[in-house]
Amino acid sequence: VSVILLGGDKMFFTPKYELRVRLPQVQGLARGSVVSLSGVPIGNIEKVSFIEGASEVEVMLKIEKSVRDRITLGSLATVKTQGALGDKYIYISPGPVGEKALEEGALIKTDKTPDFLDLISSKGAEMGEIVEVVKELRTLFYNLNHENRSARLMNHLVEATGEMKTVMIEARETFQLMRTEAIQPLASVLRKVDAGQGTLGALINDPSLHNRIQSFLGEPARNRFLKPLIRDSIQTHEKKSE
């Protein structure tokens, strides 16, 4: 008693009450394991026993009465791992404030979410693949940074970006120059032609002038020679076939 009092651990004399938790497996929990509420130790496991006619295990908790109002109907209990040695303990998440507190011997609902370390152990193969990916990334970054390659690569990218910017500026200036010196005069000429101005405009827009030119020139010369030429070619082909 003197050792307990001098050590400041007065939980031995603190009023407590009992709550129960049912788990599919205790994962190393034993009598004396810690029970915490939001990470604060509030008690210990009193007893671990099998349930007759069921596959679950019932864990009896001894909890301080001073925190009874915080363990309400919405509270959840789960098994977690503590420290590097992997000690198991019961972690209770407090329920909504204002809800009714759990009575003596009541059953706390369990959280089905697995513990992080348990999840890692159950996903050993997948974790191995993640480790391999990390190794590959390490090799990639090592090769990029070896002999200051990444800095040189960034310098080359900056230089290429500057050169591309210069090319784009020159292309824009060239296009503007072409638009001023070539496109605009050509557009002016086409507008005049479309309006019927000048000789070319008259030829395109005045059908009577076209008809006069055709009547003046008469039947095209090729029509007078094309028919005899075709007829002669057909007769020659027929003679060769015979």
Side-chain angles (χ1 to χ4, degrees), residues 2-236:
S2 299
V3 170
I4 292 174
L5 291 176
L6 290 174
D9 188 0
K10 300 181 177 58
M11 290 185 63
F12 185 77
F13 303 102
T14 303
K16 297 181 180 180
Y17 73 110
E18 293 182 351
L19 291 175
R20 296 176 298 128
V21 178
R22 290 186 177 181
L23 303 167
Q25 57 175 332
V26 294
Q27 306 180 38
L29 291 172
R31 183 178 180 181
S33 297
V34 175
V35 178
S36 72
L37 178 67
S38 300
V40 180
I42 59 169
N44 300 91
I45 293 178
E46 178 69 18
K47 183 181 178 182
V48 178
S49 59
F50 291 101
I51 302 173
E52 187 176 353
S55 60
E56 294 180 317
V57 179
E58 186 171 273
V59 180
M60 187 69 68
L61 312 178
K62 282 283 188 177
I63 299 174
E64 300 177 22
K65 285 189 175 182
S66 59
V67 297
R68 186 169 183 173
D69 294 338
R70 295 181 177 273
I71 305 177
T72 60
L73 292 174
S75 299
L76 295 175
T78 185
V79 180
K80 290 197 174 185
T81 306
Q82 182 180 26
L85 298 178
D87 296 334
K88 300 293 183 177
Y89 70 101
I90 294 290
Y91 180 88
I92 299 177
S93 301
V97 178
E99 288 286 341
K100 183 180 179 181
L102 295 178
E103 300 293 337
E104 176 85 18
L107 189 66
I108 306 177
K109 294 181 180 180
T110 55
D111 186 2
K112 304 298 183 181
T113 305
D115 186 22
F116 179 70
L117 296 179
D118 295 332
L119 183 62
I120 291 177
S121 61
S122 64
K123 301 291 184 181
E126 289 82 353
M127 292 303 297
E129 293 177 359
I130 293 175
V131 171
E132 291 298 324
V133 171
V134 172
K135 288 181 180 179
E136 293 294 335
L137 287 175
R138 182 179 180 276
T139 303
L140 175 62
F141 285 119
Y142 173 78
N143 292 330
L144 285 175
N145 294 322
H146 185 60
E147 296 181 355
N148 203 24
R149 292 176 182 171
S150 59
R152 295 203 305 271
L153 177 61
M154 291 303 298
N155 290 333
H156 292 162
L157 287 175
V158 172
E159 292 175 359
T161 303
E163 292 177 359
M164 185 177 295
K165 182 179 179 181
T166 302
V167 170
M168 292 300 295
I169 293 174
E170 293 177 354
R172 188 183 297 111
E173 293 175 352
T174 303
F175 180 76
Q176 291 177 351
L177 183 62
M178 290 177 58
R179 183 177 180 181
T180 303
E181 297 184 357
I183 297 177
Q184 289 182 355
L186 180 60
S188 177
V189 170
L190 292 177
R191 283 195 297 269
K192 292 178 181 179
V193 171
D194 187 58
Q197 299 179 13
T199 304
L200 184 59
L203 287 172
I204 292 175
N205 294 278
D206 189 357
S208 61
L209 182 60
H210 170 73
N211 295 332
R212 285 196 221 102
I213 294 174
Q214 186 176 11
S215 61
F216 175 75
L217 294 176
E219 184 181 2
R222 67 175 181 273
N223 291 343
R224 294 196 299 271
F225 300 102
L226 188 58
K227 292 180 181 179
L229 183 61
I230 294 174
R231 187 181 301 107
D232 202 26
S233 176
I234 293 173
Q235 292 175 354
T236 303

